[in-house]
């Protein structure tokens, strides 16, 4: 398995393995296991692309209310979590096809460059979540030879 530094351009770590966000042990009460869900979790499809001044993540999440979404940005990780409720009144049904995921979903993406986390913007419009992450200024310094 490749490490983050060895991934080919355009490939994100969650294409190779799953990343679980780190939860501080002190943040979870000893007898509270609610953060460990027994419910199966679907994986959200995303597009990630780079513009001159930002990195943009888009995800189709039709049927999800903004209050049912969480977007977490830390360092070079972006995690999108949410829940899509099946609003059909007919609960007992026999599926002929079932391709839509109902319930919890998430996706974590490792960003290929440094971004300004505090300036991230998430917008939900027409069932598409768009997260815009402004790029950080380059931290590289040009080295020149003194004669």
């Amino acid at each position: 398995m490749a490490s983050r530094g060895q991934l080919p351009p355009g490939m994100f770590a969650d294409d190779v393995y799953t990343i679980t966000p780190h939860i501080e042990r002190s943040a979870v009460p000893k007898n509270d296991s609610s953060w460990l869900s027994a419910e199966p979790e679907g994986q959200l499809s995303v597009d990630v692309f780079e513009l001159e001044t930002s990195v943009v993540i888009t995800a189709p999440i039709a049927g999800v209310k903004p209050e049912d979404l969480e977007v977490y940005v830390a360092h070079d990780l972006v995690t999108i979590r949410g829940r899509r409720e099946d609003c059909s009144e007919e609960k007992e049904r026999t599926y002929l096809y079932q391709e839509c995921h109902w319930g919890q979903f998430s996706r974590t993406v490792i960003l290929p460059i440094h971004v300004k986390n505090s300036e991230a913007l998430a917008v939900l419009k027409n069932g598409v979540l768009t997260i815009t992450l402004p790029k950080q200024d380059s931290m590289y310094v040009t080295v020149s030879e003194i004669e």
Side-chain angles (χ1 to χ4, degrees):
M1 187 177 312
S3 72
R4 276 188 4 212
Q6 299 171 333
L7 291 175
M11 180 175 237
F12 296 94
D14 54 332
D15 293 332
V16 180
Y17 55 87
T18 302
I19 298 168
T20 304
H22 175 70
I23 298 175
E24 292 293 331
R25 289 180 189 256
S26 61
V28 179
K30 287 184 180 183
N31 295 329
D32 181 12
S33 61
S34 62
W35 61 278
L36 289 172
S37 175
E39 180 181 349
E41 190 172 88
Q43 182 170 307
L44 185 64
S45 297
V46 297
D47 288 337
V48 181
F49 57 93
E50 184 177 0
L51 299 174
E52 186 176 331
T53 60
S54 61
V55 174
V56 179
I57 300 171
T58 60
I61 52 173
V64 179
K65 299 178 218 160
E67 58 267 19
D68 293 335
L69 275 175
E70 294 177 7
V71 177
Y72 177 72
V73 181
H75 306 291
D76 62 346
L77 289 178
V78 177
T79 299
I80 305 165
R81 298 191 74 152
R83 181 173 198 77
R84 180 178 297 121
E85 295 296 334
D86 185 354
C87 57
S88 173
E89 293 179 20
E90 190 65 41
K91 297 298 178 188
E92 292 190 30
R93 50 193 145 178
T94 302
Y95 284 98
L96 301 176
Y97 295 98
Q98 185 176 14
E99 297 178 346
C100 299
H101 177 79
W102 303 100
Q104 294 184 93
F105 60 84
S106 71
R107 183 66 182 264
T108 297
V109 176
I110 293 181
L111 300 173
I113 61 172
H114 295 286
V115 295
K116 298 176 185 176
N117 297 345
S118 61
E119 295 179 25
L121 176 66
V123 175
L124 180 60
K125 182 178 179 182
N126 297 329
V128 176
L129 176 66
T130 302
I131 305 168
T132 305
L133 304 144
K135 291 180 184 178
Q136 243 180 25
D137 296 332
S138 175
M139 293 191 275
Y140 295 101
V141 176
T142 304
V143 177
S144 59
E145 187 175 354
I146 300 176
E147 293 181 23

